[in-house]
């Protein structure tokens, strides 16, 4: 609205934040460890959004990231389902978000959180966050440490990531309309992804290392009804292509040990995600059965003054949902600092 141009036009011109000849955004800068209102652990979409909303609400906050800003999105070659951009490299999208956030809040890359110590709630003691740089005394903490996709470990998996090997059907499935892909896995996610792709008009088959699915019975019934082919007792040995795109999977039948070719245009690995819950578990945050952090609709955890947002909480795990959860978590922290619900 400020430029009276579309984001796509500005992206093509190189005039969006984070695009100035590859310059790293500087923005707000850094702060020294000390007293703050809020520490946000993780600088993906959820964490950066939480930082913006927290500071705009009047809180003194800091975002800490032990690796690179952007999380999994920064490693995604192309994002095509984020509103406002028909197509944008994940790294560039996160550079834009990062520079926006840095206008409000200090974002510290390379600062890992070693421990979180909860003060005595009855005595109004603060929370101590110990990092590689020092200690922060904070009133609240938002965990946005994310999750990572489980990998097959097959030869060629890393080589063809983003070039035929995918981990999110709801993100990238549309790209394969009218093409042939394989879903690798046998749980709820795998079967849901297969049905989603089938509905998009993708020629999909399922590769599963077992002889029965782990997924819920209704999903199994739907896969059977849709006549989606299943290769039972089969694993992917190698992913092949021309150096640019995937063209074939080398698959092995575990019963006969026979290795055959499966020509495909792509494959979706759906064998689960692993949430980064180390810090959450260390302070007694409750997890769900699937291993993700359990939160209420306001992003509060079972531990007062501790909130969680983004992929760490499971669910849809999209950029837009992470952003929404980050904003909610920040406003819940602001509300609780003003009116602590645990004192009622």
């Amino acid at each position: 609205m400020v430029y009276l141009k579309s984001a796509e036009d500005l992206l093509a011109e190189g005039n969006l934040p984070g695009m100035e000849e590859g310059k790293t955004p500087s923005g707000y800068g850094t702060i020294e460890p000390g007293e703050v209102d809020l520490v946000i652990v993780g600088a993906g979409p959820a964490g950066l959004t939480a930082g913006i909303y927290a500071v705009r609400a009047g809180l003194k906050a800091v975002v800490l990231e032990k690796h690179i800003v952007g999380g999994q999105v920064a490693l995604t070659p192309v994002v095509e389902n984020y509103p406002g951009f028909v197509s944008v490299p994940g790294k560039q999208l996160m550079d834009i978000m990062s520079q926006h956030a840095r206008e409000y809040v200090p974002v510290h890359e390379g600062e890992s959180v070693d421990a979180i110590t909860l003060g005595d709630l009855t005595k109004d003691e603060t929370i101590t966050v110990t990092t590689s740089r020092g200690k922060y005394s904070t009133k609240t903490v938002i965990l946005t440490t994310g999750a990572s996709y489980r990998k097959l470990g097959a030869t060629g998996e890393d080589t063809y990531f983003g070039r035929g090997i995918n981990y999110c059907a709801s993100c990238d499935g549309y790209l394969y309309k009218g093409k042939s892909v394989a879903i690798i896995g046998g749980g709820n996610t795998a079967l849901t992804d297969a049905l989603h792709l089938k509905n998009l008009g993708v020629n999909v088959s399922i590769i599963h290392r077992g002889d029965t699915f782990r997924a819920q019975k209704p999903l199994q019934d739907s896969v059977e009804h849709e006549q989606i082919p299943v290769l039972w007792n089969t694993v992917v040995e190698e992913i092949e292509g021309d150096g640019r795109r995937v063209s074939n999977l080398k698959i092995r039948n575990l019963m006969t040990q026979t290795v055959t070719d499966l020509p495909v245009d792509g494959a979706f690995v759906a064998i689960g995600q692993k949430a980064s819950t180390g810090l959450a578990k260390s302070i007694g945050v409750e997890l769900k059965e699937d291993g993700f952090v359990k939160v209420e609709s306001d992003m509060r955890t079972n531990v007062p003054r501790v909130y969680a947002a983004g992929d760490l909480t499971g669910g849809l795990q999209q950029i837009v949902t992470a952003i929404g959860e980050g904003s909610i978590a920040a406003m819940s922290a602001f509300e609780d600092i003003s009116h602590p619900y645990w004192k009622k």
Side-chain angles (χ1 to χ4, degrees), residues 77 178-179 281:
K179 298 181 179 180
K281 289 191 291 187

Side-chain angles (χ1 to χ4, degrees), residues 6 21 34 39 52 61 74 79 95 99 102 115 120 131 149 151 206 211 220 246 253 270 280 294 308 316:
S6 72
E21 298 180 0
V39 170
I52 293 171
V79 175
D95 281 347
Q99 183 155 331
R102 290 175 197 262
D120 190 332
T131 78
Y149 290 106
K151 293 187 175 183
I206 299 173
D211 56 6
Q220 298 185 44
V246 168
N253 185 287
K294 182 178 181 180
L316 187 57

Side-chain angles (χ1 to χ4, degrees), residues 160-309:
Y160 289 102
F161 169 59
R163 295 185 290 170
I165 294 300
N166 310 271
Y167 297 88
C168 178
S170 58
C171 307
D172 305 318
Y174 186 80
L175 302 173
Y176 294 91
K177 186 175 182 180
K179 298 181 179 180
S180 296
V181 305
I183 292 286
I184 305 167
N188 289 337
T189 300
L191 270 61
T192 300
D193 287 355
L195 292 165
H196 172 66
L197 294 174
K198 178 77 173 182
N199 185 60
L200 290 176
V202 178
N203 180 20
V204 61
S205 58
I206 299 173
I207 300 174
H208 181 39
R209 66 181 304 121
D211 56 6
T212 58
F213 286 129
R214 302 184 306 276
Q216 297 173 353
K217 188 63 164 57
L219 287 172
Q220 298 185 44
D221 293 341
S222 295
V223 165
E224 184 177 357
H225 179 267
E226 293 296 330
Q227 298 182 328
I228 297 175
V230 181
L231 299 174
W232 301 103
N233 302 302
T234 301
V235 295
V236 175
E237 295 270 287
E238 186 175 353
I239 297 158
E240 298 179 325
D242 60 3
R244 293 177 301 174
R245 298 289 304 177
V246 168
S247 60
N248 184 66
L249 302 179
K250 287 282 187 184
I251 57 176
R252 177 168 57 89
N253 185 287
L254 295 175
M255 305 299 290
T256 65
Q257 299 303 315
T258 302
V259 177
T260 56
D261 292 327
L262 179 66
V264 293
D265 297 297
F268 287 83
V269 180
I271 55 177
Q273 289 199 33
K274 183 178 180 181
S276 300
T277 56
L279 286 173
K281 289 191 291 187
S282 73
I283 55 176
V285 170
E286 184 180 355
L287 306 183
K288 297 182 289 187
E289 289 185 1
D290 59 7
F292 291 87
V293 169
K294 182 178 181 180
V295 291
E296 302 298 330
S297 58
D298 49 22
M299 299 297 118
R300 294 184 177 106
T301 69
N302 64 302
V303 178
R305 304 181 292 176
V306 177
Y307 313 80

